[in-house]
Amino acid sequence: MKFSIDKHEKYVVISLNEVKFSNEITPKLKSEFILLNAEGYCNIVLDLSMVEECTDCQDLSSLLVGDRLCKNANGLFIVTGINQQIAQIIEISNLNQSLNIVSKLDEATDLIFMEEIEKELLGSFDQKD
């Protein structure tokens, strides 16, 4: 699996550098989600802008692992850069009901920062009580 990781203070971006999202990729991707979560990253962005095709919704269900890990850590798992074909598979398999999907990487980072600000504000309200 070819991918790159861009680590930031509040989040990490995994960019999948593959043309096809296949069942050879899914176990490695799940492992990467687990490793990043163990390192303390609760906000993970998966950039699929290089991926052109996916033939099996079972492969995409691996994204639910990342989503569950992030939710359990009180964070966000966001998928970005999906093309029309992958969007249709996500919709058919109802993954769009569970996953946070945005068009661009900028939107993903904005969403993470808004969520982090909200957590900080709610935390400061809880401390006043």
Side-chain angles (χ1 to χ4, degrees):
M1 174 176 87
K2 292 183 234 152
F3 65 99
S4 62
I5 295 181
D6 189 12
K7 295 179 179 179
H8 300 267
E9 184 180 338
K10 299 278 186 187
Y11 66 97
V12 63
V13 178
I14 301 173
S15 298
L16 197 55
N17 300 324
E18 297 277 353
V19 175
K20 187 173 182 177
F21 197 109
S22 65
N23 58 3
E24 291 91 37
I25 290 173
T26 55
K28 295 171 187 164
L29 194 55
K30 286 179 189 178
S31 296
E32 202 58 44
F33 294 152
I34 293 167
L35 284 171
L36 290 168
N37 188 258
E39 287 180 27
Y41 288 100
C42 62
N43 296 310
I44 299 174
V45 178
L46 179 63
D47 182 2
L48 298 178
S49 56
M50 298 287 289
V51 179
E52 295 175 9
E53 72 176 282
C54 176
T55 55
D56 189 358
C57 63
Q58 285 298 108
D59 298 334
L60 288 175
S61 68
S62 65
L63 304 181
L64 294 174
V65 172
D67 187 60
R68 186 181 72 244
L69 289 167
C70 290
K71 281 181 180 168
N72 288 344
N74 201 24
L76 289 174
F77 180 79
I78 303 171
V79 181
T80 186
I82 60 172
N83 67 22
Q84 189 62 38
Q85 188 245 351
I86 294 172
Q88 287 175 336
I89 293 172
I90 287 174
E91 192 171 325
I92 290 168
S93 62
N94 285 327
L95 290 172
N96 58 333
Q97 302 295 318
S98 302
L99 299 174
N100 294 303
I101 301 170
V102 297
S103 302
K104 298 178 182 167
L105 189 56
D106 297 5
E107 294 174 53
T109 57
D110 288 347
L111 187 58
I112 287 168
F113 283 114
M114 287 187 327
E115 190 75 17
E116 290 295 316
I117 290 169
E118 185 177 320
K119 281 187 222 173
E120 288 176 18
L121 288 173
L122 290 175
S124 65
F125 285 130
D126 290 342
Q127 291 173 357
K128 290 179 183 177
D129 293 340

